[in-house]
Amino acid sequence: MDKYAELYNKLLSITPNHKHKKFTVYISAFRITDSVEDEYVEHFDENDTSLYYDVSGVYDDSDEVYSISTCFYADFLQYSVDDTTLKNYSYSTILAHCFREITAYGFDRQ
């Protein structure tokens, strides 16, 4: 938890990088199934521990899905969160999922 608190404070001190296209982050919930693809869950309780969550992003002018796990922190600060994610998750849950994703490769990136 201390590393995430440090990350939060670091993000507060960074000036966002506004050089990129508009990027939107979204979180999707899935349930593991026996079939080839896991089941997308549209309506759920965000505290349901039987689900797993995928954090991804899209550029407004593209249908391609991107990972945010390799983004620079200054880039992350400019990303918006899509409306469905804002409706389905609490702010603290969105932040927790995003923090986990952007630290997938460690806490030492700029």
Side-chain angles (χ1 to χ4, degrees):
M1 286 304 291
D2 290 340
K3 287 201 174 259
Y4 286 106
E6 288 174 27
L7 173 60
Y8 179 79
N9 288 323
K10 183 182 218 177
L11 289 173
L12 288 175
S13 69
I14 294 175
T15 302
N17 180 353
H18 295 287
K19 297 177 186 175
H20 297 284
K21 298 177 187 175
K22 186 170 176 164
F23 196 78
T24 302
V25 173
Y26 66 93
I27 304 172
S28 300
F30 293 91
R31 180 171 285 109
I32 296 174
T33 65
D34 292 333
S35 66
V36 175
E37 289 189 26
D38 291 341
E39 173 190 0
Y40 170 74
V41 180
E42 187 173 351
H43 303 286
F44 56 88
D45 175 351
E46 71 178 26
N47 297 310
D48 185 343
T49 59
S50 71
L51 302 176
Y52 73 91
Y53 302 91
D54 179 57
V55 180
S56 300
V58 294
Y59 287 108
D60 282 344
D61 59 352
S62 172
D63 291 332
E64 293 183 58
V65 176
Y66 296 89
S67 170
I68 67 167
S69 63
T70 59
C71 73
F72 291 105
Y73 295 151
D75 293 340
F76 170 71
L77 291 173
Q78 73 173 349
Y79 298 166
S80 60
V81 178
D82 84 313
D83 292 336
T84 301
T85 298
L86 290 170
K87 184 180 82 174
N88 290 338
Y89 300 88
S90 65
Y91 292 148
S92 58
T93 298
I94 293 169
L95 189 59
H97 283 297
C98 287
F99 273 22
R100 184 166 188 263
E101 190 73 15
I102 66 172
T103 60
Y105 296 109
F107 286 85
D108 296 329
R109 288 177 299 112
Q110 298 300 317

